[in-house]
Amino acid sequence: MNYFILLCSLFLTPALTDRASQETTQTFSSNSASHKRLKRDWIWNQLHIKEEIDTPLPHHVGKITSSIRNSNAKYIIEGEYANTIFKVEETSGDVYAFERLDREKKAEYELTALIIDRRNNQSLEPPSKFIIKVYDINDNSPVFVQKVFNGSVPEMSPVGTSVTKVTAVDADDPTVTGHATVTYQVIKGDEYFTVDDSGVISTTRADLDREKQATYEIVVKAKDAPGSSGDSSTATVIITLTDINDNFPVFKHPSFHFKVPENVSVGGEVGRVKVEDIDEPQHRNTKYSFVRGDYRDTFEIVANPFTNEGIIRPKKPLDFEKVAEYRFDIEATDPTVDLRYFKSGGSRSISTVTIEVTDVDEPPVFTKLPYEFKVKENDPEIRTLGSVWAHDPDAAKRRIRFIRRRASPNGDYVRVSDTGIIQLPKPLDREFSSSYNITVAAQEILEDGRLADRESHAHVHVIVTDENDNAPELLYPEEPRVCENAAPGKVIIRISATDKDEISPRGFFKYSLATEDSNFSLIENYDNTANITVRYGQFNRELAKIHYLPVIISDNGEPELSSTNTLVISVCKCNEKGNFTFCEERAKQVGVSIQALVAIFICIFTIITLFAVITLLILLRKRHKKDLSGLGRNVAEIHEQLVTYDEEGGGEMDTTSYDVSVLNSVRKNGMKAEAVPSPYAQVQKPPGNLPSGAGEMEMMIEVKKDEADNDRDLLPYDTLHIYGYEGAESIAESLSSLGSGSSDSDIDYDFLNDWGPRFKMLAELYGSEPHRDFVY
């Protein structure tokens, strides 16, 4: 049985040997079962080679030999790096590396070994894997994981306080002693900080003050094991000192001076004092206080949380006339300062503050606020309640005028005079309002008599005390009803009363019936209520279905007042259980207010007046028609006639077709106009035929003018009267059919009635009597 023996240049790795042995055993067992031959074992020793060998290539790694006496046996290797980095000598089995190896790039290589027959390339043994391990040398220096590190530590921290940690790594094999061990050293800033072998940086001094130096930049070096002369690397560490409250505030100036007008509002800003606190803003907690000066009740100093300034504010009004200048000392301190780290130099900072009050023109000042007066209601003798008073606080001491600004309730119930006297124009009624409020304004009277723009106000409260001037009134929650067969003593309703006047806690009402002659009785409950009950029982609905019961209610006032109230009680039909089954509905009383009555009367008066005016106009119209009908003129000469000519006129511009000279020639003194023939008459009419109607028309116009001037019954304004006048007769005589009815013709026009509806009007005109007058 042939055995392969793998010769290694270094020690054996037990784990790999066991694994290889197990694999070989399993392989050979399988081969024994299949090929019916003896077991063969692969015995692998771990191959090991140093990195970065400086001898010429190739470098011998190990050797593979075989006990098979076969001159045709051939060794080969397979794998990712086979026949490139690693090669094997076919006959001897020597393995060589053809490149210099770097363990930091790759520490192990896994290959597969085979032995075959070179004649037919048949495997003489199953393939097996082996590992070539690269042996480390100390050829790398430590490298920091970052070039710059940051850390922070509170200022004034004790020695040894941890700041931050730096880290450097060495690429060499950490399993080889001294190859990957890193040590640290502070090479810059070692007077303030130190570093241990784990890379932790800590303080070496307890007086690190942020206000002197806020940041430190140190340099740390990392190198191999102590005593090693290998390379090293460095890193920068920036250390920031965080602030603590270890400084007191200090005033920037030894004194402050402010000017403020005397009318500055309470709580307003007078000025600001500034301090300097070298701590960071989150550690500035300045408190201001008074040291000397009795003005704590006049001013206060509040710190601004954002600027740390002290804001001076007045706590009460300032008065230039009383105090023109304030002077006091204030102190600034910080109660939250950590006294363990307190620096010498004093914990107090004091400054002097001077406040100069300037004079301004102030409004008047009332001497008493508020004003309250009491008056008895309905007292006609009280007209003056009192007065308000205000004065000018300035040196001018001007006179004051008082004016009422607002009133509640609104109305002229309370007045104020120019001198401030509160007056009542009429007695007050408590039942209308139990109190009256007015706002009185006070204004200064300037030298020129004008009122100053600024004014002050005071509230005046008038309380009206009550007197017993209202009688009580009856109250009942529902309409009283009673069964006609009600038994004696049956309670019909419980009544109560109300009074507009004030009622004392011990006050009560007294109830009684105005008459005892009824089937009702009244029983008092002594709780300001009373019961109306049935006295005898058995009401007769046939005699009375509704009963009117007068009830007298008296109060206990001074003087005592009473009122008589009527209860309307309905008698109803009831069933056996006493439930109402039928009651007559009572007529509801409808009340009309005074305002509604006044509106109704105004409407009635307006209607009557309008009717009278229309009637008067109708009468005047009738009288006017009567005057027209009494002229006695011929209808054919006065009324408007229809004249037809055999040619068209010239329209409005034709002034020769109609003679209006007669109308224009009327004189105001009543004299007749001279008869001047018109051009139309001279041309169209034969000579010697003078117009006889012109004079009549002139006379009619004069008569109408006189009537219009002297008749007082006509309308009192100018009117336009239009009369139609055709003029004297034409050559062709009158062609109008309107005058035919009064002509002397013997023609009978009754046949027009037989011509149908279209000739009805013409038949009526020609069928009229000759003596009938037409009135227009």
Side-chain angles (χ1 to χ4, degrees):
M1 182 176 58
N2 294 327
Y3 295 94
F4 285 96
I5 302 173
L6 179 63
L7 300 178
C8 303
S9 61
L10 298 176
F11 58 88
L12 299 175
T13 303
L16 294 176
T17 302
D18 292 342
R19 186 178 66 180
S21 298
Q22 292 175 1
E23 292 175 358
T24 305
T25 301
Q26 293 174 357
T27 303
F28 284 160
S29 298
S30 177
N31 291 337
S32 176
S34 60
H35 299 288
K36 305 298 183 181
R37 62 180 183 178
L38 296 175
K39 179 181 178 183
R40 290 176 178 152
D41 293 331
W42 284 97
I43 302 175
W44 297 108
N45 290 326
Q46 188 179 59
L47 300 181
H48 207 149
I49 183 174
K50 276 188 177 184
E51 66 171 336
E52 302 293 347
I53 299 175
D54 56 358
T55 59
L57 295 172
H59 300 148
H60 186 266
V61 178
K63 185 176 183 179
I64 301 174
T65 60
S66 175
S67 59
I68 296 177
R69 300 304 178 189
N70 188 342
S71 59
N72 295 320
K74 177 183 177 182
Y75 295 98
I76 61 176
I77 59 176
E78 294 179 351
E80 180 181 0
Y81 300 99
N83 301 317
T84 54
I85 297 179
F86 300 100
K87 294 181 181 180
V88 62
E89 207 284 324
E90 295 180 354
T91 58
S92 64
D94 289 324
V95 180
Y96 293 92
F98 283 81
E99 292 183 8
R100 286 183 174 83
L101 304 179
D102 188 354
R103 192 200 68 83
E104 285 71 38
K105 293 183 179 180
K106 191 170 181 62
E108 293 180 350
Y109 297 89
E110 185 177 286
L111 301 174
T112 301
L114 299 93
I115 183 169
I116 62 174
D117 189 339
R118 71 176 65 245
R119 293 174 300 179
N120 52 17
N121 291 330
Q122 295 293 324
S123 296
L124 300 178
E125 288 292 340
S128 180
K129 296 181 179 181
F130 65 95
I131 295 176
I132 298 176
K133 187 172 183 180
V134 181
Y135 184 75
D136 181 56
I137 63 174
N138 193 9
D139 60 342
N140 291 282
S141 61
V143 178
F144 284 98
V145 295
Q146 58 193 66
K147 281 296 183 181
V148 179
F149 293 86
N150 292 281
S152 62
V153 63
E155 64 174 330
M156 311 302 291
S157 296
V159 176
T161 302
S162 176
V163 179
T164 187
K165 183 178 181 179
V166 295
T167 302
V169 294
D170 195 331
D172 293 326
D173 190 358
T175 61
V176 181
T177 304
H179 281 201
T181 303
V182 181
T183 60
Y184 301 94
Q185 180 185 358
V186 177
I187 60 176
K188 178 185 176 183
D190 54 345
E191 67 272 27
Y192 303 111
F193 303 96
T194 185
V195 62
D196 58 13
D197 291 339
S198 62
V200 177
I201 299 176
S202 56
T203 60
T204 60
R205 296 178 60 173
D207 59 349
L208 297 178
D209 191 353
R210 186 197 68 85
E211 286 72 35
K212 294 181 180 180
Q213 184 175 348
T215 59
Y216 292 86
E217 185 177 303
I218 66 174
V219 179
V220 179
K221 181 176 73 172
K223 63 179 182 177
D224 281 338
S228 174
S229 59
D231 295 334
S232 62
S233 62
T234 60
T236 301
V237 182
I238 299 176
I239 300 173
T240 303
L241 297 183
T242 59
D243 184 53
I244 63 173
N245 194 4
D246 59 342
N247 293 279
F248 284 97
V250 178
F251 282 109
K252 291 185 177 181
H253 305 285
S255 62
F256 297 89
H257 186 272
F258 304 104
K259 284 187 177 183
V260 60
E262 63 175 335
N263 62 345
V264 62
S265 60
V266 175
E269 183 175 327
V270 174
R272 298 193 177 197
V273 293
K274 297 182 179 180
V275 296
E276 182 179 9
D277 191 338
I278 58 178
D279 289 327
E280 291 186 350
Q282 67 270 20
H283 293 138
R284 297 171 185 170
N285 189 21
T286 304
K287 299 296 180 183
Y288 298 90
S289 59
F290 293 91
V291 179
R292 286 183 295 272
D294 298 331
Y295 302 117
R296 292 179 178 86
D297 60 338
T298 306
F299 299 97
E300 64 178 354
I301 306 178
V302 181
N304 187 313
F306 302 101
T307 62
N308 210 34
E309 297 173 319
I311 304 174
I312 302 177
R313 298 173 178 172
K315 297 170 63 177
K316 63 181 182 180
L318 304 181
D319 192 346
F320 170 81
E321 286 73 25
K322 293 182 179 179
V323 180
E325 183 179 274
Y326 297 87
R327 186 185 299 272
F328 48 84
D329 293 340
I330 58 174
E331 177 187 6
T333 185
D334 189 348
T336 61
V337 169
D338 193 341
L339 297 179
R340 294 178 300 172
Y341 311 110
F342 169 67
K343 305 177 184 64
S344 60
S347 61
R348 302 177 67 187
S349 179
I350 298 176
S351 179
T352 300
V353 177
T354 302
I355 299 176
E356 181 181 348
V357 181
T358 60
D359 187 25
V360 295
D361 187 10
E362 298 177 278
V365 177
F366 283 93
T367 57
K368 178 183 177 182
L369 291 174
Y371 292 90
E372 183 175 292
F373 302 97
K374 289 186 178 181
V375 60
K376 191 175 182 180
E377 71 167 326
N378 301 324
D379 192 342
E381 298 180 358
I382 299 178
R383 287 291 181 264
T384 301
L385 299 181
S387 62
V388 296
W389 180 253
H391 67 280
D392 182 7
D394 299 320
K397 301 301 179 182
R398 300 187 179 101
R399 293 183 296 112
I400 307 300
R401 177 174 295 176
F402 300 92
I403 305 171
R404 195 188 78 165
R405 290 300 187 199
R406 291 179 295 274
S408 176
N410 191 18
D412 187 22
Y413 301 105
V414 182
R415 297 176 182 174
V416 58
S417 66
D418 294 344
T419 58
I421 299 176
I422 306 300
Q423 300 171 335
L424 298 180
K426 60 182 179 180
L428 301 180
D429 186 3
R430 195 202 67 85
E431 283 69 43
F432 174 75
S433 178
S434 61
S435 63
Y436 295 81
N437 299 277
I438 63 171
T439 300
V440 178
Q443 291 180 290
E444 298 177 5
I445 303 176
L446 302 178
E447 287 73 8
D448 56 359
R450 295 182 298 107
L451 295 179
D453 295 334
R454 304 189 64 185
E455 63 182 37
S456 56
H457 301 89
H459 296 283
V460 178
H461 182 54
V462 179
I463 300 175
V464 183
T465 60
D466 184 50
E467 68 174 6
N468 193 23
D469 58 344
N470 291 278
E473 299 176 358
L474 180 65
L475 288 178
Y476 49 92
E478 60 184 7
E479 298 294 337
R481 295 180 297 176
V482 62
C483 294
E484 62 179 341
N485 57 352
K490 173 68 176 178
V491 177
I492 300 174
I493 191 173
R494 172 174 287 191
I495 61 174
S496 60
T498 182
D499 196 333
K500 295 180 181 179
D501 295 322
E502 291 182 353
I503 302 177
S504 63
R506 295 179 296 176
F508 60 89
F509 296 111
K510 293 184 292 185
Y511 301 89
S512 62
L513 297 178
T515 178
E516 297 295 333
D517 187 14
S518 67
N519 196 11
F520 302 96
S521 60
L522 185 147
I523 301 175
E524 291 203 36
N525 298 319
Y526 300 104
D527 59 354
N528 277 335
T529 64
N531 292 338
I532 303 297
T533 61
V534 179
R535 174 176 294 183
Y536 306 113
Q538 295 300 326
F539 293 90
N540 189 349
R541 282 175 46 85
E542 300 298 332
L543 296 178
K545 296 174 181 166
I546 296 177
H547 292 265
Y548 299 93
L549 181 65
V551 179
I552 300 175
I553 307 175
S554 303
D555 59 17
N556 62 338
E558 292 292 338
E560 184 178 278
L561 299 178
S562 63
S563 64
T564 301
N565 304 265
T566 301
L567 271 177
V568 182
I569 303 175
S570 300
V571 180
C572 305
K573 294 181 180 180
C574 301
N575 55 20
E576 296 178 354
K577 296 182 180 180
N579 298 326
F580 299 108
T581 59
F582 177 76
C583 293
E584 278 77 11
E585 293 186 0
R586 291 177 293 177
K588 296 183 179 179
Q589 295 181 356
V590 180
V592 181
S593 63
I594 296 177
Q595 293 82 356
L597 291 176
V598 171
I600 293 173
F601 287 138
I602 291 175
C603 293
I604 295 174
F605 178 76
T606 303
I607 294 173
I608 294 175
T609 304
L610 183 61
F611 181 76
V613 171
I614 294 174
T615 304
L616 181 61
L617 290 176
I618 293 175
L619 294 176
L620 291 176
R621 178 67 176 174
K622 289 183 177 180
R623 182 172 181 179
H624 182 63
K625 288 183 176 181
K626 183 178 179 181
D627 292 338
L628 291 178
S629 62
L631 290 175
R633 301 287 182 245
N634 190 358
V635 176
E637 296 177 355
I638 297 178
H639 67 52
E640 182 177 355
Q641 298 184 11
L642 301 178
V643 182
T644 303
Y645 299 94
D646 56 355
E647 63 178 359
E648 289 185 340
E652 295 180 356
M653 300 302 297
D654 187 0
T655 58
T656 62
S657 299
Y658 192 79
D659 185 8
V660 295
S661 60
V662 177
L663 295 178
N664 294 330
S665 63
V666 177
R667 292 173 295 185
K668 295 182 180 180
N669 55 6
M671 296 179 65
K672 293 184 180 181
E674 295 181 0
V676 179
S678 64
Y680 174 79
Q682 296 176 2
V683 175
Q684 300 292 341
K685 298 177 183 180
N689 191 8
L690 296 176
S692 61
E696 295 179 359
M697 189 63 187
E698 178 184 346
M699 293 176 61
M700 183 192 71
I701 292 176
E702 291 295 331
V703 170
K704 290 300 180 183
K705 285 176 58 180
D706 292 338
E707 290 180 355
D709 292 338
N710 300 321
D711 192 351
R712 297 182 179 180
D713 295 334
L714 292 179
L715 299 178
Y717 48 80
D718 294 339
T719 58
L720 178 62
H721 298 273
I722 300 175
Y723 302 96
Y725 183 73
E726 188 176 297
E729 59 182 7
S730 63
I731 300 174
E733 300 296 336
S734 176
L735 300 180
S736 174
S737 62
L738 298 178
S740 301
S742 58
S743 64
D744 298 332
S745 176
D746 296 334
I747 300 175
D748 187 6
Y749 295 97
D750 292 337
F751 63 89
L752 294 175
N753 295 320
D754 300 332
W755 288 9
R758 298 178 61 183
F759 296 92
K760 183 178 180 180
M761 181 59 68
L762 188 60
E764 291 179 356
L765 292 175
Y766 279 84
S768 301
E769 295 296 331
H771 61 274
R772 183 178 178 182
D773 294 333
F774 293 92
V775 181
Y776 291 89

